[in-house]
Amino acid sequence: MGKGLDYYEVLGLTRNANDLEIRRAYRRLALKFHPEMNKDEAAKEEFNRICEAYDVLSDPKRKGCFDLYGEAGLKDGIPDGQGGMKGGIYHFDPETTPFQVFGRYFGTANPYEALDAISAQFEAMTTQEPPKTGKNKVYTVELTLEEIYHGCLKKVTHKRKVLLESGEYMEEPRTLTIDVKPGLPSGTRFVFEGEGNKTPKKEPGPVVFVLKPLPHKRFARRGADLVHKVVLPLYQALCGTSIEVPTLDNRTLNVPIADMVRPGYSTTILGEGMPKPGGGKGNLIVDVELLFPTGVTETQKMLLKSAFFLPPQLTDKQHKALVAYEKAFKHPLEGWATAYPKEER
């Protein structure tokens, strides 16, 4: 074998070490020299050598090439006597490969989390108590307001870690179905028992999905009520109007605004909110914001004053002037009422 780094020596092993001995040696040394746990200046370089050694010796093809040709032959290859090269099948990047090897082995890039998992495994192997249950895994499931309103079956996925008897982790993808009943409140928890991480002698804990409604372009939710905001021009706020509100079940409500609208005005339509789990529905609340004109002309100011100060009892001349003004305003060809919505003239 050619000269170079002796991977067996790095892990403190003899050349007849088996797979289990290689894994155990790596686990012990990788945690001891991980740069986050060992602040010695030489620790990072030693950690890199340990990860490189395990990366090679844990792979049968790389291990066989190293046993025959050594580190140089493994990485650079050696002449085969026929004008070609043997080996040259491995490249180690000291900046990224060590942490990839560590994460692949322990199932996490965090050495403290890896140490906790090993401690839990050791405790599970040495205790005679009944199996304990793992920790909750909590996720958020985001649903549209329409999905919550109607109810739905929502497919969700998650990955759980499975600790093997060898001490290595694997990730197992899981698909679950959430039965969303109509009108469930925000923060509802959907609990799936036994879907958490798996370790020997430890029962998987539950996986929990917490309902979070997505923002809606027309409605905000307030408990079982729905809140819809509209902006009314000042003339509609003073003269009255009607508002069309599309609902979550594809109907259109015509909401009359007959009262004079003041700042903070709202009106409530009973039974047009979210379904209640116990039956019935909440309400639809229409909040109105006033839209003031950006400016008015002197003529418009004069007309506004004339409207607000119109006497309750008109003289004959005043009455005739008002009738003439109304005719001019509503004249089909020359009047300016044509700019006003027809249904509100």
Side-chain angles (χ1 to χ4, degrees):
M1 183 181 74
K3 294 180 180 181
L5 193 63
D6 188 333
Y7 296 133
Y8 293 99
E9 183 179 325
V10 170
L11 296 179
L13 300 170
T14 62
R15 294 191 172 278
N16 59 355
N18 60 34
D19 290 344
L20 183 58
E21 290 171 330
I22 292 171
R23 285 196 295 270
R24 286 175 175 172
Y26 174 72
R27 180 174 58 192
R28 175 176 56 86
L29 293 172
L31 289 172
K32 179 179 178 181
F33 289 98
H34 194 288
E36 290 188 25
M37 303 184 73
N38 189 329
K39 301 303 181 182
D40 189 280
E41 293 183 1
K44 182 177 181 181
E45 186 176 348
E46 184 63 24
F47 177 73
N48 288 355
R49 285 196 290 267
I50 291 165
C51 290
E52 181 177 346
Y54 178 74
D55 200 27
V56 171
L57 297 182
S58 62
D59 183 276
K61 184 177 180 180
R62 297 171 188 164
K63 181 176 181 294
C65 186
F66 171 75
D67 289 341
L68 287 175
Y69 307 122
E71 182 196 7
L74 174 70
K75 294 180 177 179
D76 304 324
I78 61 171
D80 61 4
Q82 299 179 359
M85 300 289 288
K86 296 179 180 179
I89 63 171
Y90 181 66
H91 172 72
F92 182 83
D93 183 349
E95 295 299 323
T96 59
T97 307
F99 298 101
Q100 293 171 353
V101 174
F102 185 91
R104 189 163 57 244
Y105 182 95
F106 289 101
T108 176
N110 187 326
Y112 297 100
E113 185 178 334
L115 190 59
D116 286 344
I118 292 172
S119 299
Q121 180 190 9
F122 179 77
E123 181 181 351
M125 293 168 55
T126 56
T127 183
Q128 297 300 316
E129 296 179 1
K132 296 182 180 180
T133 301
K135 296 180 181 179
N136 293 4
K137 294 188 70 177
V138 182
Y139 300 93
T140 297
V141 56
E142 295 183 328
L143 299 174
T144 65
L145 202 54
E146 284 82 1
E147 288 176 318
I148 301 173
Y149 181 89
H150 294 287
C152 65
L153 294 177
K154 190 74 172 181
K155 296 283 186 182
V156 293
T157 60
H158 79 104
K159 291 182 180 179
R160 67 177 178 182
K161 295 177 183 176
V162 179
L163 180 61
L164 306 177
E165 294 288 349
S166 64
E168 295 187 71
Y169 281 91
M170 65 170 286
E171 282 194 337
E172 180 183 19
R174 306 285 292 178
T175 300
L176 306 171
T177 301
I178 296 176
D179 186 5
V180 181
K181 301 298 184 183
L184 286 179
S186 302
T188 298
R189 295 165 64 88
F190 305 93
V191 181
F192 295 87
E193 299 290 348
E195 285 291 337
N197 294 336
K198 294 179 67 176
T199 59
K201 298 186 179 180
K202 195 168 187 179
E203 294 295 328
V207 166
V208 181
F209 286 86
V210 181
L211 188 154
K212 179 182 178 182
L214 291 167
H216 196 273
K217 63 182 180 180
R218 294 196 307 274
F219 298 108
R221 189 176 181 183
R222 189 184 296 164
D225 295 336
L226 291 174
V227 180
H228 178 67
K229 289 188 176 182
V230 296
V231 178
L232 283 186
L234 184 60
Y235 76 87
Q236 289 183 327
L238 295 174
C239 302
T241 185
S242 61
I243 303 168
E244 289 190 347
V245 182
T247 65
L248 293 174
D249 53 359
N250 296 320
R251 293 177 295 119
T252 299
L253 300 178
N254 194 290
V255 181
I257 305 293
D259 301 327
M260 183 178 293
V261 175
R262 295 174 175 84
Y265 177 91
S266 67
T267 185
T268 300
I269 299 90
L270 300 179
E272 290 293 347
M274 295 293 288
K276 297 180 178 179
K281 286 185 177 182
N283 302 323
L284 171 63
I285 301 170
V286 179
D287 285 344
V288 178
E289 295 182 6
L290 298 179
L291 177 63
F292 285 82
T294 56
V296 290
T297 66
E298 291 300 320
T299 301
Q300 289 172 322
K301 291 178 183 179
M302 180 272 295
L303 291 173
L304 285 171
K305 290 176 182 178
S306 68
F308 284 119
F309 291 98
L310 186 69
Q313 296 293 328
L314 299 177
T315 66
D316 289 341
K317 287 185 177 181
Q318 289 171 336
H319 179 72
K320 290 178 180 179
L322 185 61
V323 170
Y325 175 84
E326 183 179 5
K327 288 181 178 179
F329 173 64
K330 294 182 177 181
H331 192 282
L333 297 178
E334 299 178 357
W336 56 98
T338 53
Y340 203 67
K342 186 175 182 180
E343 66 274 10
E344 297 180 9
R345 293 175 192 170

